[in-house]
Amino acid sequence: MVDSSIDSWEVVIGLEVHAQVQSRAKLFSGAATDFGAEPNCQVSLIDAGAPGMLPVINRHCVEQAIRTGIGLSAEINLFSVFDRKNYFYPDLPQGYQISQYTKPIVGYGSVQILLDDGEIRTVGITRLHLEQDAGKSLHDQHPTQSFVDLNRSGIALMEIVSEPDMRSSQEAGAYIRKIRSILRYLGTCDGNMQEGSLRADVNVSVRRPGGDYGVRCEIKNVNSIRFIQQAIDYEARRQIQLIESGNAVQQQTRLFDSATGSTREMRTKEEAHDYRYFPDPDLLPLELDPDWVEEIRLSLPELPDEKKERFVREFGLSDYDAGILVAERDTAEFYEMVASGRDPKLAANWVIGELFGNLNRNNVEISSSPVSANSLGKLIDLVVDNTISGRSAKEVFEVMFSSGRDPLEIVSELGLQQLTDLSDIESLVSDVLANQADKVLEYRAGKDKLFGFFVGQVMKASAGKANPKIVNEVLGRLLKG
Ligand code: ADP
Ligand code: MG
C-alpha cells in the first residue's frame, strides 16, 4: 500500500507512555509486585476492591515519580490530587482506577532525541501522573470461561504524556528509546517491554505541512518499539487514503494487530467513556516538602545526555561512539570499567567493535556478557604491553566470548605470546641476513623493495611470533651494514 502522495502530508504523533514504577510494593498497598508470580497470590484486600478498605500512599512510588519528573527536566508540582476514574471492567474490582487528572504530580518537561541524520529534536512532555494498574483477564486458560488475575491490580504506573511533537515513526522510536534509557538510568522503571513494564498509547493524525492539526486516532497499549512504528506507518497511510478519497478521519480508539501489522477500530468518539472523575475521598491531596524534592534532585545520577558530553570531553570520543556507549546505563558502566586506567579510545574500539558485534550476533544482553569488563581490560593490556599482537588478540577474544575464560590462560594455551626480546630478535635477523647475502647486496645497491621480503623471512623464522615493530627497527638498523 505504498502511497506516492505521502510526501505531501505531515504525520503528527503524540505518545502516552505507561511505565511501571520500580517498587517492591504497590501504589496503595503492601502487596508484592514480582513479575511472573502465580496468579492472585500478590493481592491485598485493597487490590481486590474489598469494601471499606483504605488506600495508603506508598512514599517510595511518589519518590520515583519525582525522580522521573526531574530526569525529564520537568516541573514538580508540590500540590497534586488523586482522582477516581470510574468505569466497569471485569479486571477492575473497585469499579474505578485511582489516577491523577487535573492536578498531576509532574508538569511540563522535555527530552532531546537524536535522529538518524544527526539532527537533535526536542519533544515536549505535557505531564506525568501516578495511577494504579488494573488486573488482567485471562481468556486462554479454559474453553468456555475467562479468569481474572489481580496480581497487577494496584501496581504503580507513571503515565508520561508527550506533546504532539513527533513527525515520523522513526522519531517515535527514538523518543521511546530515550525515555526508556532515562528511566533505566534513574532506576524508576526497568523498561522491560516484553513483560509489559513499558507500553504506549499511540496518537496519530496527518495534516498538510504547516496546516492545522488533523483529527487523531489513538492506538491503545502497544508494547514494542517495532509495533509502535508499524502502527504509526499503517495508521498514517490509512488516514491519508481516507482523506484523499474524499472521506474524513473519525476520532477513534484503535487496536494494533501484530499478526497483520494493521490497526482496527475499537470504539469511536461517540462511544467515548465519561469517566466521571472526582477527587478520591479516601486520599488527601499530595503535598510535597520542597526540601525533600531538592534532596531527590541532588541524588540523581548522571543521565545519558550529560554522560555523553563527558565521554566526548574527557575521553576524546566521537559524538557517535559516545552516543552508542551511553544509550544504556549497563553499557556505559561496562565501558567505563574497561576504560579505567587505559587508553579510552582503544577501550571504546574494543567495546563497540568486538564486544557489541559479538553480543548482537549472538543476541546476548551486556548484563550476561561472557566476557567481563575486567577480562576485556586484561586482553587490551596484553596488546598494549606487546605480549600479543592485535591480530592474535581478536583470536583470543573469540575464545573468551565462547568460553568466558581468562585471556592470559588462552594466550599461553595457544602459544600466542609475541617474541619481544631485543637480542633474540637481533639474532634471528642476523641469521636471515647471513642466509640471504645476495639479497642483502641487492638491497644495499638500492633495491628498497626487498625490505618487505626480509621482514617476511624473519617472521617466518620466528613462526609468526616476533613483534613486527621490533623486527622492522632491527632490520632497518642491521641492513644499513
Ligand atoms: P486524551 O486525554 O483524550 O487522551 P490528550 O489531549 O491528553 O487527550 O492527548 C493525548 C495525547 O494525544 C497526547 O500525547 C497528545 O500529544 C496527543 N495528541 C493530541 N492531539 C493530537 C493530534 N492532532 N495528532 C496526534 N497526536 C495528538
Ligand atoms: Mg489518552
Side-chain angles (χ1 to χ4, degrees):
M1 225 193 352
V2 177
D3 193 321
S4 57
S5 62
I6 199 159
D7 288 343
S8 58
W9 291 92
E10 185 174 58
V11 185
V12 174
I13 303 149
L15 297 180
E16 295 161 90
V17 171
H18 297 264
Q20 179 175 330
V21 174
Q22 216 162 297
S23 164
R24 288 168 56 205
K26 296 183 178 179
L27 184 53
F28 298 112
S29 85
T33 60
D34 302 330
F35 179 79
E38 281 292 300
N40 296 309
C41 72
Q42 297 179 162
V43 185
S44 76
L45 290 169
I46 294 176
D47 312 319
M53 299 306 297
L54 285 175
V56 177
I57 185 87
N58 177 340
R59 181 183 167 96
H60 177 67
C61 293
V62 174
E63 177 171 346
Q64 293 286 61
I66 298 170
R67 284 172 77 75
T68 307
I70 299 170
L72 298 173
S73 317
E75 293 162 35
I76 305 301
N77 294 325
L78 297 179
F79 181 89
S80 68
V81 173
F82 286 104
D83 292 289
R84 287 187 182 179
K85 178 178 180 180
N86 299 281
Y87 63 96
F88 173 79
Y89 209 75
D91 63 17
L92 189 75
Q94 293 94 334
Y96 58 83
Q97 176 192 28
I98 305 179
S99 181
Q100 296 190 301
Y101 192 46
T102 53
K103 292 193 160 54
I105 182 164
V106 176
Y108 197 84
S110 65
V111 294
Q112 311 269 326
I113 58 172
L114 179 63
L115 305 182
D116 287 350
D117 62 5
E119 194 200 327
I120 288 177
R121 180 187 271 279
T122 302
V123 176
I125 305 284
T126 316
R127 57 188 268 152
L128 174 157
H129 65 254
L130 273 171
E131 63 184 26
Q132 347 168 260
D133 206 349
K136 193 172 184 217
S137 296
L138 307 170
H139 304 294
D140 55 359
Q141 309 283 308
H142 190 278
T144 57
Q145 294 175 17
S146 286
F147 296 128
V148 174
D149 175 10
L150 294 180
N151 281 351
R152 293 195 75 97
S153 170
I155 283 184
L157 302 178
M158 297 178 282
E159 178 168 337
I160 304 167
V161 182
S162 86
E163 293 285 292
D165 283 349
M166 287 155 275
R167 295 290 175 266
S168 66
S169 55
Q170 186 218 332
E171 289 181 21
Y175 171 78
I176 292 273
R177 270 190 287 272
K178 189 59 177 282
I179 292 277
R180 184 176 60 182
S181 166
I182 292 172
L183 295 173
R184 284 178 170 164
Y185 267 76
L186 293 166
T188 56
C189 169
D190 66 23
N192 195 330
M193 298 185 87
Q194 291 97 315
E195 294 180 0
S197 302
L198 195 72
R199 45 196 205 262
D201 297 341
V202 184
N203 295 271
V204 181
S205 65
V206 297
R207 66 172 178 184
R208 295 291 185 186
D212 291 340
Y213 282 142
V215 175
R216 74 187 147 106
C217 287
E218 176 175 0
I219 307 142
K220 280 289 190 196
N221 229 354
V222 193
N223 67 354
S224 93
I225 294 177
R226 192 161 56 91
F227 293 164
I228 289 171
Q229 294 185 319
Q230 281 178 0
I232 291 168
D233 291 336
Y234 178 90
E235 191 54 27
R237 280 200 302 267
R238 187 187 72 85
Q239 294 180 12
I240 291 167
Q241 279 175 351
L242 265 179
I243 300 170
E244 291 196 338
S245 60
N247 297 297
V249 176
Q250 276 192 66
Q251 187 165 342
Q252 282 175 347
T253 304
R254 299 178 68 87
L255 284 177
F256 178 69
D257 180 349
S258 59
T260 59
S262 63
T263 67
R264 65 186 145 84
E265 182 180 332
M266 191 173 141
R267 56 175 186 257
T268 57
K269 198 184 174 191
E270 285 70 49
E271 308 155 43
H273 290 138
D274 177 355
Y275 293 115
R276 295 171 191 270
Y277 280 98
F278 64 86
D280 192 308
D282 290 339
L283 289 160
L284 289 168
L286 195 57
E287 290 189 60
L288 306 177
D289 176 354
D291 291 341
W292 186 42
V293 174
E294 210 38 48
E295 216 175 278
I296 297 170
R297 187 185 303 281
L298 293 174
S299 76
L300 242 60
E302 184 181 45
L303 292 174
D305 290 346
E306 304 162 65
K307 202 183 277 294
K308 180 178 166 188
E309 210 175 282
R310 179 168 62 82
F311 280 10
V312 170
R313 178 166 30 87
E314 219 169 82
F315 298 146
L317 301 185
S318 68
D319 250 12
Y320 182 80
D321 284 356
I324 292 179
L325 291 169
V326 306
E328 295 291 340
R329 184 178 183 165
D330 288 352
T331 315
E333 279 170 5
F334 191 104
Y335 167 71
E336 284 210 88
M337 274 192 267
V338 177
S340 157
R342 303 192 173 89
D343 175 352
K345 284 194 193 166
L346 188 59
N349 289 344
W350 275 96
V351 171
I352 294 173
E354 297 305 309
L355 181 69
F356 288 2
N358 274 279
L359 291 174
N360 287 341
R361 270 196 295 285
N362 295 282
N363 209 1
V364 180
E365 296 283 324
I366 194 154
S367 53
S368 21
S369 168
V371 177
S372 68
N374 188 21
S375 47
L376 178 54
K378 282 197 210 162
L379 176 65
I380 295 174
D381 292 343
L382 292 175
V383 182
V384 171
D385 71 13
N386 285 324
T387 305
I388 54 174
S389 67
R391 177 188 286 207
S392 305
K394 298 212 167 152
E395 192 182 332
V396 175
F397 184 87
E398 296 297 326
V399 181
M400 288 166 72
F401 196 88
S402 56
S403 66
R405 286 167 58 202
D406 181 74
L408 197 53
E409 209 182 289
I410 299 167
V411 167
S412 37
E413 188 178 295
L414 300 181
L416 294 171
Q417 290 95 334
Q418 287 192 108
L419 186 57
T420 52
D421 185 89
L422 189 59
S423 57
D424 286 352
I425 291 179
E426 279 171 349
S427 82
L428 271 175
V429 171
S430 306
D431 286 352
V432 165
L433 298 187
N435 291 335
Q436 306 285 349
D438 303 351
K439 294 254 171 24
V440 173
L441 288 177
E442 287 178 42
Y443 178 84
R444 288 184 178 146
K447 204 168 172 191
D448 292 350
K449 273 191 291 186
L450 281 171
F451 195 84
F453 165 79
F454 293 121
V455 174
Q457 290 298 306
V458 177
M459 291 310 286
K460 200 168 146 197
S462 75
K465 288 185 187 156
N467 176 291
K469 220 169 122 193
I470 304 177
V471 170
N472 270 282
E473 182 267 315
V474 172
L475 259 176
R477 184 153 43 83
L478 297 191
L479 274 172
K480 271 189 199 138

